[in-house]
Amino acid sequence: MAKSQVGEESVLGCQTTLKKLQGTQVAKSVCSKAKSHAFIKDVTSNNKASSDDLFSIEKLDECRNGNTLDLHGKGIKKLQKFEKLPGIKTLDLSCNSIEEIEYLDNNNEITELKLYGNNIRKIKNLDRLQELQVLQLQFNNITSLRKGLLKLRKLQRLRLDSNRLICVESRELSGLSQLTSLDISHNQITDITAVNVLPCLEELLASNNKLCGVVDLSKCNKLQELDLSNNKISEVRGLSLLETLTSVNLSGNVLRCTECLGSLCSLQELNLADNQLKSVSSFAQQFPNLEVLNVVNNDIDFRDGLKFLMQCFHLVELNLAGNLAETPEEDETMRLMEVSYLMPQLERLDGVPLNPSNSEDQNSPVIQKTALASASLESTQKIMSCLMDFESQMEDLQQSLAKRFSQVKNLMESLPKKLPFKPSFAPESKKPDHLPPSTLKSSMTIRWNISTKPLAS
């Protein structure tokens, strides 16, 4: 699943050391893209805000680069010096100690505002930023949206992940008619039906929430990427109506089957790991253009799965580990041989490149397993081919023998059970030595007449 395009450079590996301008101790700010919330710890000798808490206006020019003002990790707690910033398009106030959004009303030229990694609890005072297109508020303490976003008509990308949101209502999002990307992952949201009011939404990331039961996204007509992983979802409705959907992540849920997903002809990437699936028999018909599939840790029979996935002719990456009847480690080579033969277009199986010479595979991350060498793989493919040919010949021979046996059986059944005459080679009775000559002569005459009598036709 592709990562969100909203603020890719934001909290990734961000670790800064904040020093008070005239403080007695050093405060450290750590912002991490991990699933845990970022935190900013500011240790001061007193709790009252002093003039030192205000970032001096003279230092603003030092942090300016063209139309970008970078104040990332400067220990800022108040925004009283930001009443007017002429020419600024991008304002970065991330990883500070800001608690309230204020004094930005006159900066209506700003198109990108970064406020992630602060202590903000409420979204407000953004109504006049009519040109704002990108807003990053992840890693704060926001509990609700209310009316804070209603006037941002040109907003296209919004990040609210890693906050304390419990619910998102339709009226709170109704003004975001141009929003294309929304990240509300790592919150405590129980229902996302409200996103159906976003007509231009292309990317929805709502993983690691408290979604459960049935989720309906039937009105997100332009949705391309969907991430609902690590929830308690048992059914997703309306996806079959989304003709542009190319990537779906439903891993870590409680799905038992995929019939609820419907037919997704444009889908290229599907992650259903850590669910309760028992079969993939319908995948070729449901997802005819699927290229990447992850069904790790389900209840799918390995060989049964291969039989049906053979019909997914565009599949190039398959993750099938952790399912039923999985071969032991010593049979890993044989398993790779079998899959490689049955699915020749496949490039990766459970993170192992089946074609290590491919330069694209060399640059992609690999799960810690030992890949077969190219020459070894070629040899095993030949062996597998010979074994398959031999098996086919044995099946043909078995069918031929069965046919011949049937013919012999039918012939035997057509023969009469009793002969129509007595055989001429019947054994003669022993002549008694004590018969008189007259009796012996008469007996010989009768036997001669019988032996010379012609047989009935």
Side-chain angles (χ1 to χ4, degrees):
M1 188 71 67
K3 292 183 178 179
S4 172
Q5 298 177 352
V6 185
E8 293 180 352
E9 79 282 1
S10 56
V11 273
L12 294 175
C14 164
Q15 185 173 9
T16 42
T17 302
L18 305 181
K19 295 185 178 180
K20 300 297 294 181
L21 298 178
Q22 295 181 356
T24 57
Q25 298 184 18
V26 176
K28 294 183 179 180
S29 170
V30 179
C31 296
S32 175
K33 183 53 181 170
K35 295 181 180 179
S36 58
H37 286 278
F39 66 93
I40 300 177
K41 186 176 181 181
D42 189 8
V43 182
T44 57
S45 58
N46 57 68
N47 294 327
K48 296 182 179 180
S50 64
S51 59
D52 296 333
D53 293 327
L54 306 178
F55 196 76
S56 62
I57 192 67
E58 290 78 10
K59 293 192 176 182
L60 290 180
D61 291 337
E62 299 177 6
C63 301
R64 182 166 181 168
N65 182 11
N67 57 6
T68 300
L69 182 59
D70 186 359
L71 299 174
H72 172 91
K74 299 297 183 180
I76 301 171
K77 297 181 68 175
K78 298 288 183 179
L79 298 179
Q80 294 181 8
K81 298 294 184 179
F82 297 88
E83 292 185 357
K84 185 63 176 177
L85 301 172
I88 294 297
K89 299 289 186 180
T90 301
L91 177 59
D92 189 350
L93 292 166
S94 59
C95 291
N96 285 288
S97 301
I98 301 170
E99 296 182 356
E100 291 188 10
I101 304 173
E102 53 189 352
Y103 300 107
L104 295 177
D105 295 353
N106 296 326
N107 297 285
N108 51 14
E109 297 181 3
I110 295 178
T111 59
E112 182 174 1
L113 178 58
K114 302 179 182 180
L115 287 167
Y116 63 85
N118 282 285
N119 297 321
I120 299 171
R121 299 173 183 270
K122 184 179 180 180
I123 303 175
K124 62 179 182 178
N125 299 324
L126 296 176
D127 294 350
R128 294 190 180 181
L129 302 183
Q130 296 295 311
E131 301 299 321
L132 194 62
Q133 298 177 12
V134 179
L135 177 59
Q136 300 185 26
L137 289 168
Q138 66 271 29
F139 294 99
N140 279 285
N141 297 313
I142 301 171
T143 57
S144 63
L145 303 182
R146 298 186 180 181
K147 298 181 180 181
L149 303 172
L150 288 179
K151 300 295 182 65
L152 304 180
R153 304 290 181 181
K154 294 186 179 181
L155 194 64
Q156 298 178 10
R157 297 194 292 270
L158 174 61
R159 288 195 62 173
L160 291 166
D161 48 298
S162 301
N163 275 282
R164 298 181 180 179
L165 293 173
I166 298 176
C167 66
V168 178
E169 299 182 7
S170 300
R171 59 184 179 180
E172 297 172 337
L173 301 176
S174 59
L176 306 179
S177 58
Q178 301 298 319
L179 194 68
T180 60
S181 178
L182 175 62
D183 189 347
I184 50 176
S185 56
H186 295 278
N187 280 283
Q188 302 176 34
I189 301 172
T190 57
D191 185 12
I192 58 171
T193 306
V195 300
N196 283 289
V197 303
L198 302 172
C200 296
L201 191 63
E202 298 177 357
E203 180 185 43
L204 175 60
L205 308 180
S207 63
N208 294 278
N209 276 283
K210 294 185 177 181
L211 303 176
C212 60
V214 180
V215 174
D216 188 353
L217 298 171
S218 56
K219 295 183 180 180
C220 297
N221 298 324
K222 295 186 178 181
L223 197 63
Q224 298 178 13
E225 181 176 347
L226 174 64
D227 186 354
L228 299 177
S229 59
N230 298 316
N231 284 284
K232 299 295 181 182
I233 300 171
S234 60
E235 183 178 348
V236 182
R237 294 178 182 173
L239 295 190
S240 59
L241 302 175
L242 311 182
E243 298 179 354
T244 59
L245 194 61
T246 59
S247 178
V248 174
N249 187 349
L250 289 168
S251 61
N253 281 284
V254 290
L255 294 173
R256 294 180 178 272
C257 62
T258 59
E259 280 73 12
C260 63
L261 303 181
S263 178
L264 302 176
C265 295
S266 60
L267 192 65
Q268 298 177 3
E269 187 173 351
L270 178 61
N271 190 341
L272 293 170
D274 299 295
N275 275 278
Q276 301 173 14
L277 301 177
K278 296 183 180 299
S279 175
V280 293
S281 59
S282 62
F283 279 31
Q285 290 73 35
Q286 284 186 273
F287 322 118
N289 293 307
L290 195 62
E291 297 180 3
V292 179
L293 175 62
N294 187 346
V295 286
V296 169
N297 297 329
N298 280 277
D299 298 326
I300 303 168
D301 182 83
F302 176 77
R303 298 190 179 278
D304 180 65
L306 286 182
K307 179 175 66 174
F308 293 108
L309 293 177
M310 284 173 56
Q311 303 173 31
C312 297
F313 302 111
H314 299 283
L315 198 63
V316 295
E317 182 174 340
L318 174 62
N319 294 281
L320 196 59
N323 280 281
L324 300 179
E326 185 181 3
T327 55
E329 293 183 1
E330 56 268 18
D331 295 334
E332 182 74 10
T333 301
M334 185 60 68
R335 185 169 74 110
L336 290 174
M337 290 192 312
E338 182 178 2
V339 175
S340 178
Y341 178 79
L342 296 177
M343 306 175 69
Q345 84 283 2
L346 203 65
E347 297 177 3
R348 300 179 68 84
L349 174 64
D350 294 330
V352 178
L354 299 180
N355 185 13
S357 60
N358 193 310
S359 59
E360 182 179 353
D361 286 335
Q362 290 178 349
N363 296 328
S364 57
V366 180
I367 298 177
Q368 295 180 355
K369 288 185 178 180
T370 304
L372 293 175
S374 179
S376 175
L377 179 59
E378 183 178 359
S379 300
T380 54
Q381 288 177 335
K382 290 181 179 179
I383 295 173
M384 178 61 71
S385 178
C386 292
L387 290 175
M388 297 292 285
D389 292 340
F390 178 74
E391 183 179 355
S392 178
Q393 293 175 4
M394 291 296 293
E395 290 179 356
D396 293 340
L397 178 60
Q398 184 178 3
Q399 294 176 359
S400 178
L401 291 175
K403 184 178 180 180
R404 290 173 181 267
F405 176 79
S406 178
Q407 292 175 348
V408 172
K409 181 180 179 182
N410 293 336
L411 179 61
M412 293 296 295
E413 291 178 350
S414 65
L415 296 175
K417 296 181 179 180
K418 295 182 180 180
L419 293 176
F421 56 86
K422 293 181 179 181
S424 59
F425 50 83
E428 299 179 355
S429 58
K430 188 176 181 180
K431 301 176 184 179
D433 297 336
H434 61 276
L435 290 176
S438 60
T439 304
L440 182 60
K441 181 177 179 180
S442 176
S443 175
M444 292 177 64
T445 303
I446 294 172
R447 291 185 59 190
W448 183 83
N449 290 334
I450 293 174
S451 61
T452 56
K453 186 178 180 179
L455 296 174
S457 57

